Amino acid sequence: MDNSKHLWYTLSPEITAATLEVDPGHGLEENEAVARLARFGENRLIEATPRPVWLKFLDQFRNLLVIVLLFAAALAWAISNIKDAVVILVVVLFNASLGFYQEYRAEQTLAALKGMLAARARVRRNARIEEINAVQLVPGDIVLLEAGDRIPADGRLLAAHSLEIEEAALTGESHAVGKSIAALDKAELPLGDRVNLLYMNTVVTRGRAEMLVTATGMATEMGKLAGIIASAGELETPLQKQLDTLGKKLAAIASVVVTVIFVFDYARGLPWTEAAMTAVALAVAAIPEGLPAVVTVTLSIGMWRMAQNQAILKKLAAVETLGSTTVICSDKTGTLTLNQMTARAGWFGGQRFSVSGVGYAPDGRITFESNSDLRPFLLPMTLCTDSRVRDGQVIGDPTEGALWVLAQKGGLDPEAEQEEQPRIAEIPFDAAHKFMATFHHAGATVEMFIKGAPDVLLARSTHSLAENGEHYLDAAARAAIEAENEHFAAQALRVLAVARKTIPSADFDPAGDLWAWAEGWIFLGLTGLMDPPRPEAKAAIARCAGAGIQVKMITGDHKVTATAIARELGLAGEVIEGCELDAMSEAELSRRIDGICVFARVGPEHKVKIVMALKDGGHVVAMTGDGVNDAPALKTADIGVAMGITGTAVTKEAAVMVLIDDNFATIVKAVEEGRVIYENIIKFVRFQLSTNIGAILTVLVATLLGLPAPFTAIQLLWINIIMDGPPAMTLGVEPPRVGIMLEYPRHQAAQILTGPRLAKLVLYGVIMATGALYLFWHGLETHGKTYALTLAFTTFVLFQFFNVFNARAEDGSAFNAHFFRNGKLWLALTCVLALQVVVVHWLPAQDVFGTAALEPADWLKAVAVASSVLLLDETRKAASHLFQKRQ
């Protein structure tokens, strides 16, 4: 029994059951079900083997900066400088633990969000109905389904009663699809047209059905998509690439300088242990030890902010990637739209009306030019229905839910109307006759209410209801109604009609031939429905346009519907369909893709093709979506964004960010957060690297001048981690700069260290080295080596106090309106100064750091010299601005 070779939709229910060796009326025997479970496996999707926690922790050490630090610690240990080695190892362990904790917590948060497939399934086995775990389903099982059920496996319909399925999660089609059991004669049909098949993870919105399971687990259509996702590799983010490049450059510089200094010191007669310790100190000075910790903290702060704004991140660097995004490819249904059918307009009594409000909340009103009573038009919507809307949630068919809410907006209470006029008979909706009719007691008469396709109801009607009563439907009246139908359809509205018929109670038999009343109806009117755009999506798209970010709608829906939604959202550009995309070469697609705003009627392979074309064009691509059909493209994109409410388990697994509120506008907040974080990381890099350059120049020049090493290895670590760390971390929480979302995204290849920026950092380093060496020489002349080390060490720490303000404002003056805005920075600077006083004047700290108490006059000298780095840079900025004004 090889299920993969059969085109189930071409086989009749009887042949399908025979092929799977099962009697639909009896179901599988228990022993046969057990045997098939052993043969086909559990009905679950394969998941990647989780990486052990200890390996995740070790991953934190796969960083070039950390490797260099470990080498420095090993060297210190080798020359018996145990104290320095331990301090360096503690620093490395702290950075690794922080990074591991943040990423592990993010994974745990996402794990709490994940929802699996249908947990239970009602099946017929051993000639009785049982409820089993969905993972135990096997090919040949008979599954019983009703409205609201999530389909647990792929299968062939055996019986269907008014069945409609919501397949947006798989095909992207926003409307529920009618299903039937008849075999289809075409050998090649797309998924959406195989109307006698049901698919895992789609939802029954209406009716009842019996399904014969044909595929489970990875053999389902959902499983095939999961396989595509698993084959895609992980991609580095722009920030990771730049930090890796920066780390390699710093390591190369450190290797060369350390080697030169070691050789120079050894050649001039210093003991190799002393020369080695100088090299260790310089290696420590050359590496920004705080970079991994501060970047991790900055990104985790961004992650926390995103969580407050309804987004969960699986990877820290994903926030930064959103900040550099140039294109957002968004699914339409449920992402840009509410995925809640809504009545938007209609026609009654010869006049059009509009409807405000969206979704299943009864907020809004019907705007009608005349004062006509809408009750006759709205009453069929409350009575001719099998659905309900409660607390903003539809129970049943989305279209019926929209009509229910429309009646509420018109002043009717659907539940009260149903109690007053109970249903006594019905003609269920069927795709063959395209209408539903219900019969209700109304005193001496029975009222028949009908809703369905406009052309069908119009053909069965003889009269229409106008403001002044009933009128015969002549050719002109019919043409007018048909024109109204076409008018609404041209606006991408799904049009439904309602009608009624009054029957004398004495003539009506609920058990009789109800089809005898299926003509001579009174045509009441038309309603145009659609899945409306999210109210906040239009503003979010406008913000994206202002920020230089393209938004592209990618949907499986029809071109007309997608175009109407795009127009309402403010998306401008070309609209093409999947068949046109198939006909395009990669070169043509790359040439035209920037001008295309909507891709309609596309499949999963099209979405991946679109994302790849954008990436080939240099774009940083974010892909949002909620259905299984979005998952491969989410995995291929630079950053995939899944929906937390409507998103499938497969989609959430593929994405790196999950939106808890399914709100497209949250993406824009994420983009802003990413840009702020990147700017703050730039501030930290400027601050940290100027410190490193200053330390390298100080040690290098001291060696070339024949002076002792001006800092010990522990003092350099204290500068780089403790004295630089807290202020640098507070730079990571700097508030957003005004106008940050009015600028175009930075180019993906833009470097953190540009030529002009590096020149400024070297200037700061030269100022620091000059000032520190001057006071070091002064200390040697007046007090001795220990005092001189303390004075140089303290001066260098104070340089960082003033240099942090240079880092905050790269081009403008540091003394601006926001000078005192970051309270955390001022708290950190206060703590830094207090700690430095402790290190210099507390005896136990003096033993550890090799310091001596400074005289007040030397404290003042250190402050005066250190402030020069800020004052000189302010002078440079003022001169630069003055020069620019004169040009």
Side-chain angles (χ1 to χ4, degrees):
M1 184 171 58
D2 186 354
N3 298 344
S4 63
K5 296 181 179 180
H6 297 286
L7 297 177
W8 299 112
Y9 54 88
T10 65
L11 305 181
S12 68
E14 295 78 15
I15 295 177
T16 303
T19 303
L20 290 170
E21 301 172 11
V22 62
D23 176 4
H26 187 278
L28 295 174
E29 294 289 345
E30 194 60 38
N31 57 351
E32 177 62 19
V34 171
R36 294 191 184 192
L37 184 63
R39 177 179 176 183
F40 294 103
E42 290 189 332
N43 179 37
R44 66 170 80 243
L45 303 181
I46 59 170
E47 298 178 358
T49 304
R51 192 167 176 78
V53 172
W54 65 274
L55 283 178
K56 290 180 180 179
F57 180 74
L58 290 181
D59 287 342
Q60 305 299 318
F61 296 89
R62 296 171 59 185
N63 180 298
L64 192 56
L65 305 183
V66 172
I67 292 172
V68 172
L69 277 177
L70 291 174
F71 175 77
L75 182 58
W77 190 282
I79 60 176
S80 300
N81 195 329
I82 307 301
K83 181 175 65 176
D84 285 8
V86 169
V87 171
I88 294 173
L89 289 173
V90 167
V91 167
V92 171
L93 188 62
F94 170 77
N95 286 336
S97 300
L98 183 61
F100 167 75
Y101 172 71
Q102 293 293 347
E103 293 195 10
Y104 179 75
R105 189 173 66 174
E107 290 178 2
Q108 294 301 109
T109 303
L110 187 78
L113 258 183
K114 285 185 177 180
M116 290 306 293
L117 308 176
R120 308 287 291 176
R122 292 174 62 237
V123 300
R124 181 181 294 121
R125 285 184 179 177
N126 305 310
R128 63 176 183 270
I129 306 301
E130 301 178 7
E131 187 173 281
I132 65 172
N133 288 328
V135 295
Q136 295 176 331
L137 284 174
V138 295
D141 262 324
I142 310 298
V143 179
L144 282 65
L145 300 164
E146 58 187 24
D149 286 349
R150 186 173 293 273
I151 297 169
D154 287 2
R156 173 67 165 87
L157 274 173
L158 298 181
H161 305 279
S162 304
L163 184 66
E164 291 187 3
I165 305 294
E166 172 64 70
E167 295 185 337
L170 186 65
T171 66
E173 177 65 53
S174 60
H175 303 306
V177 179
K179 295 287 185 175
S180 61
I181 64 172
L184 303 173
D185 55 7
K186 291 186 178 180
E188 294 295 333
L189 285 175
L191 292 179
D193 294 338
R194 300 174 188 177
V195 293
N196 54 20
L197 298 186
L198 302 183
Y199 301 107
M200 173 187 278
N201 221 34
T202 57
V203 178
V204 180
T205 61
R206 181 193 185 104
R208 303 183 307 278
E210 289 189 12
M211 178 187 79
L212 175 55
V213 175
T214 57
T216 58
M218 292 302 293
T220 63
E221 294 297 331
M222 184 178 182
K224 294 173 185 176
L225 286 169
I228 296 174
I229 297 162
S231 64
E234 297 292 337
L235 302 173
E236 280 191 326
T237 69
L239 179 63
Q240 288 173 322
K241 294 174 184 176
Q242 292 210 38
L243 290 179
D244 184 60
T245 301
L246 178 60
K248 290 176 180 177
K249 289 180 179 178
L250 291 171
I253 293 171
S255 299
V256 172
V257 175
V258 166
T259 301
V260 169
I261 294 301
F262 177 78
V263 172
F264 188 90
D265 282 347
Y266 190 71
R268 68 177 185 173
L270 287 180
W272 81 270
T273 53
E274 186 175 341
M277 276 313 302
T278 302
V280 168
L282 197 55
V284 172
I287 302 299
E289 293 87 350
L291 182 60
V294 173
V295 169
T296 298
V297 169
T298 303
L299 291 175
S300 63
I301 289 171
M303 176 185 287
W304 179 82
R305 287 177 180 168
M306 290 295 297
Q308 302 306 301
N309 287 317
Q310 305 301 304
I312 297 283
L313 289 165
K314 292 167 68 176
K315 296 184 179 180
L316 289 174
V319 180
E320 183 276 334
T321 309
L322 273 171
S324 62
T325 296
T326 59
V327 179
I328 299 176
C329 296
S330 176
D331 180 52
K332 177 184 72 70
T333 305
T335 309
L336 291 170
T337 66
L338 284 172
N339 201 18
Q340 297 181 7
M341 292 299 291
T342 303
R344 303 296 296 271
W347 178 89
F348 170 63
Q351 297 183 48
R352 295 174 186 169
F353 62 84
S354 60
V355 187
S356 62
V358 295
Y360 297 129
D363 304 322
R365 59 191 300 268
I366 300 173
T367 303
F368 203 45
E369 291 184 3
S370 71
N371 294 321
S372 299
D373 182 12
L374 287 172
R375 178 180 171 80
F377 171 70
L378 298 176
L379 191 58
M381 302 177 189
T382 69
L383 299 177
C384 185
T385 182
D386 290 327
S387 303
R388 301 284 185 276
V389 176
R390 288 177 182 162
D391 301 323
Q393 299 294 322
V394 65
I395 303 170
D397 179 64
T399 299
E400 290 188 337
L403 297 178
W404 179 287
V405 172
L406 177 62
Q408 289 180 312
K409 292 176 181 178
L412 274 64
D413 182 347
E415 293 186 350
E417 297 292 348
Q418 291 178 358
E419 289 180 7
E420 186 177 333
Q421 300 187 55
R423 184 186 304 184
I424 58 175
E426 67 177 288
I427 299 176
F429 178 86
D430 190 274
H433 55 253
K434 298 183 179 179
F435 72 84
M436 173 184 180
T438 57
F439 300 83
H440 304 261
H441 269 306
T445 63
V446 170
E447 295 292 340
M448 178 184 185
F449 296 109
I450 313 100
K451 75 170 188 299
D455 57 331
V456 173
L457 267 65
L458 186 59
R460 293 178 179 270
S461 298
T462 56
H463 293 74
S464 66
L465 184 64
E467 189 173 357
N468 55 354
E470 298 177 10
H471 291 270
Y472 178 71
L473 277 173
D474 56 18
R478 291 179 185 276
I481 294 175
E482 290 170 352
E484 291 298 327
N485 182 29
E486 292 174 1
H487 168 76
F488 290 132
Q491 299 178 53
L493 296 175
R494 182 185 184 188
V495 188
L496 288 180
V498 288
R500 71 182 297 171
K501 182 180 180 69
T502 301
I503 307 168
S505 295
D507 297 341
F508 182 76
D509 179 9
D513 182 12
L514 301 180
W515 281 89
W517 309 107
E519 59 183 12
W521 298 340
I522 300 171
F523 191 91
L524 299 178
L526 302 168
T527 303
L529 307 100
M530 73 182 304
D531 176 15
R534 289 180 174 270
E536 63 277 12
K538 184 174 182 179
I541 288 173
R543 286 198 74 195
C544 287
I549 300 168
Q550 299 180 37
V551 177
K552 299 188 183 297
M553 181 194 297
I554 304 179
T555 177
D557 226 332
H558 292 278
K559 188 174 183 177
V560 173
T561 304
T563 302
I565 294 291
R567 184 169 59 246
E568 195 166 341
L569 287 170
L571 290 174
E574 192 178 355
V575 181
I576 69 169
E577 292 186 319
C579 56
E580 299 173 71
L581 194 60
D582 287 331
M584 285 187 196
S585 65
E586 291 185 5
E588 183 183 1
L589 179 59
S590 297
R591 186 177 69 253
R592 293 177 54 186
I593 197 163
D594 284 335
I596 301 172
C597 72
V598 177
F599 297 88
R601 303 302 285 173
V602 297
E605 68 282 357
H606 292 132
K607 296 184 178 185
V608 174
K609 183 177 180 180
I610 292 165
V611 172
M612 291 302 297
L614 288 167
K615 291 177 70 173
D616 290 344
H619 287 290
V620 177
V621 184
M623 170 70 188
T624 73
D626 58 353
V628 177
N629 61 324
D630 297 323
L634 262 62
K635 194 72 172 179
T636 305
D638 293 287
I639 181 163
V641 186
M643 304 297 117
I645 299 173
T646 58
T648 61
V650 173
T651 312
K652 293 174 188 176
E653 185 66 30
V656 296
M657 187 166 85
V658 179
L659 301 184
I660 300 172
D661 59 358
D662 286 15
N663 194 335
F664 179 82
T666 305
I667 299 294
V668 183
K669 296 176 185 176
V671 169
E672 180 176 13
E673 189 65 42
R675 291 188 177 192
V676 171
I677 284 174
Y678 187 82
E679 278 206 356
N680 289 346
I681 288 175
I682 291 291
K683 292 176 183 178
F684 163 74
V685 169
R686 292 202 309 267
F687 177 60
Q688 181 73 72
L689 292 190
S690 59
T691 300
N692 297 132
I693 292 171
I696 289 172
L697 291 176
T698 303
V699 175
L700 177 61
V701 173
T703 302
L704 296 176
L705 293 177
L707 297 174
F711 311 119
T712 66
I714 288 182
Q715 287 174 350
L716 283 167
L717 273 176
W718 178 260
I719 292 170
N720 286 357
I721 296 295
I722 306 303
M723 309 313 287
D724 280 359
M729 289 183 183
T730 60
L731 289 177
V733 295
E734 282 276 291
R737 176 173 51 82
V738 176
I740 196 170
M741 285 298 287
L742 296 176
E743 300 172 356
Y744 276 69
R746 69 182 183 279
H747 194 276
Q748 190 174 10
Q751 293 298 307
I752 292 177
L753 279 183
T754 60
R757 182 172 290 153
L758 182 59
K760 294 174 190 175
L761 299 185
V762 171
L763 175 62
Y764 300 155
V766 169
I767 294 171
M768 293 179 201
T770 302
L773 285 174
Y774 167 73
L775 289 182
F776 181 57
W777 172 80
H778 171 74
L780 287 173
E781 292 292 315
T782 58
H783 291 83
K785 184 177 179 180
T786 300
Y787 191 92
L789 280 170
T790 305
L791 186 54
F793 172 39
T794 301
T795 301
F796 205 84
V797 168
L798 292 174
F799 265 125
Q800 309 323 306
F801 178 94
F802 291 102
N803 188 43
V804 74
F805 298 108
N806 291 336
R808 290 183 78 190
E810 185 172 18
D811 298 313
S813 173
F815 301 101
N816 53 42
H818 304 298
F819 188 68
F820 295 104
R821 188 175 173 186
N822 189 344
K824 293 183 178 64
L825 173 63
W826 285 100
L827 177 62
L829 291 175
T830 302
C831 292
V832 160
L833 290 179
L835 286 172
Q836 186 63 21
V837 171
V838 169
V839 165
V840 170
H841 292 280
W842 189 43
L843 284 176
Q846 289 176 352
D847 292 339
V848 174
F849 289 91
T851 57
L854 294 179
E855 297 172 359
D858 285 328
W859 269 103
L860 291 176
K861 289 177 185 177
V863 170
V865 170
S867 65
S868 64
V869 73
L870 175 59
L871 298 177
L872 289 174
D873 196 53
E874 285 294 306
T875 303
R876 178 194 64 78
K877 293 174 185 175
S880 176
H881 290 164
L882 183 62
F883 178 75
Q884 290 176 359
K885 285 183 179 180
R886 288 183 176 179
Q887 284 188 323

